[in-house]
Amino acid sequence: MQLVTPNSATRAKGSRSGFYRSANRGAWERIARGLYLPEGAPAADWDQLEASARRPEATICLISSLAYYDLTDVIPDALDVAIPRGTRAPASEGAIRWHRFDAGTFLLEREDVVIPGSTQRIGIYTPERTIVDCFRLRADTGYEIPRDALKEWLRRGGKPATLMKVAQALPRSTKPVRDALEILA
């Protein structure tokens, strides 16, 4: 199942007005401004689809990434998505919270995953990078969320040395991560 825009549909099948007529008849389901899925497409996370369509470099981060890895009990009220600093956050209809991360460290510990129910891919940070980012941005995420995620990650067998290696590559994160590890380990 592939996400379709009016431009991509007209390149493949004909006229733009023909596409909109078929959408009005119910052949396409509008998930966001300019983004459509075929009617009857499998269930997928529309916010993730919109983020990956609007910004190919979009990367799930912070609390949304912790929830993906089941490292928190917090249910995010919006999808946390990182984009490189200096790029414009697109207008979106979905519940997406855009964060700008330093372009020099943006790709550090970043992986691609398939959005369930689709063929689209979106980036996501590893659990280690996510925990470090939550400590680094604890004024935004809160102080308890990274601590609880770190406890769960350690319980699952996470290695403190791995976490410190990631923390040393990111600004303002070595000290809070080291302090938390000393308390918990």
Side-chain angles (χ1 to χ4, degrees):
M1 185 273 316
Q2 187 68 24
L3 193 65
V4 175
T5 65
N7 286 340
S8 64
T10 56
R11 279 195 301 270
K13 296 187 174 141
S15 73
R16 191 177 189 96
S17 59
F19 171 77
Y20 284 120
R21 279 194 301 275
S22 67
N24 287 337
R25 284 194 304 269
W28 298 96
E29 186 170 1
R30 181 180 183 270
I31 66 165
R33 182 178 48 94
L35 301 174
Y36 295 83
L37 288 174
E39 183 59 37
D45 187 323
W46 288 7
D47 294 334
Q48 288 182 11
L49 287 172
E50 182 179 1
S52 69
R54 302 264 186 244
R55 285 278 175 210
E57 71 276 15
T59 305
I60 300 171
C61 64
L62 300 175
I63 298 173
S64 297
S65 184
L66 289 178
Y68 179 86
Y69 293 116
D70 200 26
L71 290 172
T72 185
D73 293 333
V74 175
I75 299 170
D77 59 346
L79 180 67
D80 291 302
V81 177
I83 55 176
R85 190 172 294 131
T87 58
R88 185 182 63 80
S92 58
E93 292 180 3
I96 302 172
R97 193 172 17 252
W98 300 96
H99 302 272
R100 289 172 184 83
F101 284 10
D102 180 44
T105 58
F106 185 77
L107 296 177
L108 179 70
E109 298 287 313
R110 183 183 185 275
E111 304 171 339
D112 273 353
V113 294
V114 175
I115 298 170
S118 77
T119 57
Q120 298 278 115
R121 298 183 72 78
I122 191 166
I124 189 168
Y125 288 121
T126 62
E128 294 82 8
R129 165 78 189 251
T130 302
I131 291 169
V132 170
D133 281 338
C134 286
F135 273 107
R136 189 168 60 94
L137 301 170
R138 61 194 176 278
D140 295 333
T141 62
Y143 291 88
E144 297 81 19
I145 290 174
R147 183 200 62 216
D148 293 345
L150 177 59
K151 281 189 340 193
E152 179 61 21
W153 181 78
L154 288 169
R155 189 188 66 73
R156 293 181 187 178
K159 304 289 183 224
T162 307
L163 196 66
M164 285 307 299
K165 184 177 178 184
V166 174
Q168 290 168 348
L170 295 167
R172 299 186 334 257
S173 58
T174 305
K175 183 174 177 6
V177 170
R178 186 180 338 110
D179 291 348
L181 283 170
E182 287 175 1
I183 292 169
L184 296 175

